[in-house]
């Protein structure tokens, strides 16, 4: 699943979705949707990522990789496994781009 997620993250359509999300997060739009006067809202990068990960999980679930648990439970369990795999299995850290190039570090923040 990590390999598939990584491939999808690097795909041009996903990169465009991230670019659109980033651009949308920098401005507030006043487009009105339909008759209900709801304001248009752009997806943020976390929503793009969530949709991508759910797609990966559904692809693997359709192959029968998650056993016979309740479908909704299976998806949530698989999402947790996907999102925490590199913590549980450090040898997998070489697969996801976002782990290999994570610049976040523990620091000595002082106020």
């Amino acid at each position: 699943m990590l390999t598939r997620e990584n491939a999808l993250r690097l795909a041009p359509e996903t990169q465009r979705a991230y670019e659109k999300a980033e651009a949308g997060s920098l401005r507030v739009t006043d487009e009105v949707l339909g008759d209900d006067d709801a304001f248009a809202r752009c997806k943020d990068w976390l929503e793009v990522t969530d949709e991508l990960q759910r797609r990966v999980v559904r692809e693997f679930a359709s192959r029968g990789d998650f056993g016979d648990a309740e479908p909704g439970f299976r998806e949530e369990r698989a999402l947790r496994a996907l999102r925490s795999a590199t913590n549980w299995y450090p040898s997998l850290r070489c697969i996801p781009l976002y782990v290999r190039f994570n610049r976040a570090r523990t620091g000595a923040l002082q106020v």
Side-chain angles (χ1 to χ4, degrees), residues 67-111:
D68 59 355
E70 183 79 23
F73 176 75
R74 251 193 334 246
E75 182 174 316
E76 293 304 316
R77 185 173 62 185
L79 279 169
R80 281 194 306 274
L82 175 64
R83 292 169 178 168
S84 63
T86 59
N87 292 325
W88 289 101
Y89 303 99
S91 63
L92 298 177
R93 289 186 179 155
C94 63
I95 299 173
L97 181 75
Y98 59 91
V99 173
R100 290 192 319 245
F101 295 102
N102 184 357
R103 290 178 263 177
R105 299 286 181 258
T106 301
L109 177 65
Q110 296 179 3
V111 180

Side-chain angles (χ1 to χ4, degrees), residues 7 12 44 51-52:
D44 69 14
E51 288 176 3
L52 178 136

Side-chain angles (χ1 to χ4, degrees), residues 26-89:
L26 299 177
R27 67 180 180 279
V28 176
T29 179
D30 60 359
E31 288 180 36
V32 176
L33 299 176
D35 296 329
D36 61 355
D37 290 334
F39 288 97
R41 187 180 75 74
C42 296
K43 290 181 187 174
D44 69 14
W45 69 271
L46 288 171
E47 291 169 308
V48 173
T49 301
D50 182 69
E51 288 176 3
L52 178 136
Q53 290 175 333
R54 288 179 186 280
R55 174 181 169 185
V56 170
V57 165
R58 282 191 300 275
E59 287 177 9
F60 279 78
S62 69
R63 299 180 349 187
D65 291 349
F66 301 130
D68 59 355
E70 183 79 23
F73 176 75
R74 251 193 334 246
E75 182 174 316
E76 293 304 316
R77 185 173 62 185
L79 279 169
R80 281 194 306 274
L82 175 64
R83 292 169 178 168
S84 63
T86 59
N87 292 325
W88 289 101
Y89 303 99

